[in-house]
Structure formats: C-alpha cells, structure tokens
Amino acid sequence: MDIRTLCLGVLTMGDASGYEIKKKFEDRLALVFHASYGSIYPALNKLTEEGLVSCREESQEKRPDKKVYSITSAGRYLFLDEIVKPVSADRVRSDFLATLIFARLLPAAAVSKLIDERIADRAEKIARMRENCAGKATDTDRFMCNYGLTVYQAELDYLKENRHLLEADALLARAAE
Amino acid sequence: MDIRTLCLGVLTMGDASGYEIKKKFEDRLALVFHASYGSIYPALNKLTEEGLVSCREESQEKRPDKKVYSITSAGRYLFLDEIVKPVSADRVRSDFLATLIFARLLPAAAVSKLIDERIADRAEKIARMRENCAGKATDTDRFMCNYGLTVYQAELDYLKENRHLLEADALLARAAE
DNA sequence: GTTCTCATGTAAATCGTTACATGATTAT
DNA sequence: ATAATCATGTAACGATTTACATGAGAAC
C-alpha cells in the first residue's frame, strides 16, 4: 500500500481536492499513514493521467480555485485489487521510544521532560478523538476511532504508572559517574 | 534519528557485528524502528570512515568471519548530541489498519481472515515478549519490554471485543449490492 | 535434499520528505 | 501586524528497501 493507492481509497469515500485529502491524512489517517503535499499532488496528477481518477476545477468565492477529484470505475477496480492483496507488516518509527532506550545516557530531567511532553500529547489527542468518535455514523468509523483511543489510552496509562522506572535508571547512571 | 544514529546507539550497549545489530532491530527494536542489511552495512562502513566506530575482524570456527564494531569516544559524543535533540513525531504505516478502513468494500470473509491473522500475530508476539521481559536486568529494559506488551495487549483485547463492528459493516455492504 | 542460520556486501530503484514558490483571506 | 487557513505545485535530495551475489555448516 502506498500513498497513491490510499489517495484512491480516500476518493472511494467521496470526491475531494488534494488539500482535503491531506486533511483526511492528518485527521482520520494519522494513526495509519503519513503523507505530505509533495507526495499527494504528484500522486493525483499521475492517477489522472492514468484515468483512475477524473478532475474538475471549481472556482470559489474568496478562496483559491480548487481541483476536485473523483474516482473512476477503473480506479475503483484497481483499488479493490490492491486491498485484497496480503498486507505487509506495520512499519513504526518512533524517535520517542528510540530515545527512551538510551534513558540511562540522558540527564534525569531530560527523560522527565520527554515523558511529560508525550503524556501531554497523548492526552490532547485522546480528548480530540473522544469528541470525534461521538459523531461517527458507521460501525467502521466508530471501530477505527475507538481503536486509536484505546491504544493511546493504554500508552498513556502505562507511561503514568511506569515512568519512575526510567527516571530511576537515569538518576542511577548519573550517580555512578 | 536515522539508522546510522541508531547503529551508534546499539553499539553503546556493547560491541556487535552488522548481523548482530540487525538481530537487535528485529528483537528489541521491532516496535521502535526498522532496518534492513542494505541500510545497516553501509551505515557501519561510513561510521568507520568517520572514526565514530572502530572495527576488528574475528575469524570463527565453522562460521564465516565477522567484523565486530566498537563505538569510539567520538562516536559516543556524537550520539549524546543526537539524543538530546527534540524528537520528531512517530511515523506509523499500517497496511492492516489502512485496509480495515475500507472493510465495507471487502467480502466479510476477507475482513474476518485479516483480523484472525492479526489476532494470531499479536498473541504470538505477546507470548514471546512475556518470556523476554522476565529475563530483563535493568529497569529501562523492563520498561521498554512491558511497554510493547501493554500496547499489543490493548490492541488484542480491542480487536476481540470489537471485530463484530467491522464484520457487520462488511456484511451489510454486501447485502446492499 | 532442502531449508535455516550465520555472515557481508552492492547497486538500482523506489518512495517520500523538505524546501521553495505564490497569493488571497480571515482570525487574533 | 502577524499568523493561520485555504490552495496547488515542483525539484532536489535523502533515506531505505529490494533484489542480487556468494558460501558454508547445521538441522530436519
């Protein structure tokens, strides 16, 4: 699954501009995938060339014109082919966790700050998601939204309850210097 | 944080060959980062050129020779500089979740199979981690190991309890055709 | 006998980010 | 005034993966 394919997927949920697709990546897809304008716009252009999406220009009042994309039936078939393929393993990259592995090399205050920030970030995301989940119409939307909520909450609880383990290790390492 | 830096980090925990570093990425670092030989070996060569690690060749009986890398003090200083930098946001890419978003486009049996496989995968990883966590010596190691265990367990429980939401949506979509 | 583990590497290709470029409107 | 939102794009660069290449011993 690449960004190109996911753009196609987003368009199965309704017409959208490149800008709106980016928004969806930030909101609904934040837990799942990541994409910048630099990948979305070229992907849409290529999909248009290949006849997998069509494009109409809409002029708006007091807003820049936008290009609204629709998925074509060829696009729909291709997307279905893609999502029945076996899924590849999750790919995670977490600077936060990578740094924590080396907590013993850091000043205790730096470790505490890092964890404080992560806790604040997760708490904020959870709050936003809770609002969001309430308004979901379909079971799938609720499933996805609550999935994120559950995993983030588990992380948050774990951090609060176990941060002392890391903070103790960081302190000990300093004391031993 | 890139793979180069993380190789340096792994070497702060003890000398290792490229092959052994890859192993650590698969075991301990699987939740955190991902790296292939094609990125590790060139990284080690470059770090050697730059004097951030040193390398000695060890011949073994009935095993191919190996190159064992040690971090130098220059390498240590550079690594410390790297890990005090502000961390960038997590980057997740999950084909599994991306596919589930489109559950309504899939046959119900395909959705069920996907979830079954994920549950089996998580259950297996949890079992392996439980063993692993028991033998950890430091608080940091226990923290990291239990972190993974907690998050995976939350996901597993959630999937078991809520899979019916997705399976219902997939069935409804088919019925509406 | 065939697959797995140990062991190191290279080169091409892919994929995507970052930074740049532009510009109007709206909210603080 | 200044920042944020809306809106689209390109080009250079960077990072990694994938596939290829090689080979011996061990386990099943």
Side-chain angles (χ1 to χ4, degrees):
Chain A
M1 183 99 66
D2 53 13
I3 283 170
R4 185 185 126 87
T5 306
L6 257 181
C7 285
L8 221 43
V10 170
L11 292 173
T12 67
M13 309 192 292
D15 295 355
S17 65
Y19 189 81
E20 287 159 355
I21 290 173
K22 175 67 163 34
K23 279 278 129 82
K24 288 221 176 158
F25 270 97
E26 278 162 11
D27 301 350
R28 189 184 311 239
L29 296 173
L31 295 88
V32 171
F33 243 81
H34 221 258
S36 61
Y37 290 123
S39 58
I40 291 172
Y41 284 120
L44 288 169
N45 286 330
K46 216 185 160 216
L47 289 168
T48 307
E49 270 176 43
E50 294 167 338
L52 301 167
V53 306
S54 65
C55 173
R56 63 177 187 278
E57 257 169 274
E58 279 186 12
S59 36
Q60 304 174 110
E61 277 176 45
K62 307 194 179 177
R63 290 253 175 284
D65 293 358
K66 63 174 171 179
K67 291 184 175 179
V68 179
Y69 294 90
S70 301
I71 191 168
T72 64
S73 59
R76 246 170 236 280
Y77 285 122
L78 190 117
F79 182 66
L80 287 177
D81 281 352
E82 288 295 327
I83 54 167
V84 294
K85 285 184 186 168
V87 297
S88 63
D90 290 13
R91 199 149 294 185
V92 182
R93 171 162 293 202
S94 172
D95 263 27
F96 169 70
L97 289 175
T99 304
L100 287 190
I101 292 175
F102 304 103
R104 73 187 193 297
L105 302 178
L106 286 169
V111 174
S112 295
K113 192 183 159 216
L114 200 59
I115 298 174
D116 284 342
E117 284 167 1
R118 181 73 163 203
I119 287 176
D121 175 79
R122 288 313 194 225
E124 192 239 303
K125 286 210 172 101
I126 288 169
R128 268 203 283 125
M129 282 172 130
R130 245 195 262 279
E131 277 181 49
N132 230 320
C133 286
K136 296 296 180 189
T138 68
D139 281 347
T140 298
D141 286 346
R142 272 188 289 277
F143 177 93
M144 293 303 301
C145 199
N146 284 316
Y147 175 96
L149 208 48
T150 302
V151 173
Y152 278 169
Q153 189 67 55
E155 191 193 333
L156 183 61
D157 293 342
Y158 183 81
L159 285 176
K160 284 183 180 170
E161 278 169 45
N162 296 283
R163 58 181 300 170
H164 68 274
L165 292 172
L166 287 182
E167 289 165 334
D169 248 16
L171 278 173
L172 280 171
R174 291 278 128 179
E177 259 176 31
Chain B
M1 185 100 65
D2 54 13
I3 284 170
R4 186 186 124 87
T5 306
L6 257 181
C7 285
L8 221 44
V10 170
L11 292 174
T12 67
M13 308 190 294
D15 296 356
S17 65
Y19 189 81
E20 288 159 354
I21 290 173
K22 175 68 164 34
K23 278 278 128 82
K24 288 223 175 154
F25 271 97
E26 279 162 10
D27 300 350
R28 189 185 311 238
L29 296 173
L31 295 89
V32 171
F33 243 82
H34 223 259
S36 61
Y37 290 123
S39 58
I40 292 172
Y41 284 120
L44 289 170
N45 287 330
K46 219 188 157 214
L47 289 168
T48 307
E49 272 177 43
E50 294 167 339
L52 301 166
V53 305
S54 64
C55 173
R56 64 175 185 278
E57 256 169 277
E58 280 185 12
S59 37
Q60 304 176 109
E61 278 176 44
K62 308 195 177 177
R63 289 253 176 284
D65 292 358
K66 64 176 170 177
K67 290 185 176 180
V68 179
Y69 294 89
S70 301
I71 190 166
T72 65
S73 59
R76 247 169 235 282
Y77 284 122
L78 191 118
F79 183 66
L80 287 176
D81 281 351
E82 289 294 327
I83 54 168
V84 293
K85 285 185 185 168
V87 297
S88 63
D90 289 13
R91 200 148 293 182
V92 181
R93 172 162 291 201
S94 172
D95 262 29
F96 169 70
L97 289 174
T99 304
L100 286 190
I101 292 175
F102 305 102
R104 73 188 193 296
L105 302 177
L106 287 169
V111 174
S112 295
K113 192 183 158 218
L114 200 58
I115 298 175
D116 284 341
E117 284 167 1
R118 181 73 162 201
I119 286 176
D121 174 78
R122 287 312 192 227
E124 191 239 304
K125 288 211 171 99
I126 287 169
R128 266 202 287 126
M129 283 172 130
R130 245 195 263 279
E131 277 181 50
N132 230 319
C133 285
K136 295 296 179 190
T138 70
D139 281 347
T140 298
D141 286 347
R142 272 189 290 276
F143 177 94
M144 294 303 300
C145 199
N146 283 317
Y147 175 97
L149 208 48
T150 302
V151 174
Y152 278 169
Q153 189 67 53
E155 192 194 332
L156 183 61
D157 293 343
Y158 183 81
L159 286 175
K160 283 183 180 169
E161 278 170 46
N162 297 281
R163 58 182 299 172
H164 67 275
L165 292 171
L166 287 182
E167 287 164 334
D169 248 16
L171 278 173
L172 280 170
R174 290 278 129 177
E177 260 175 30

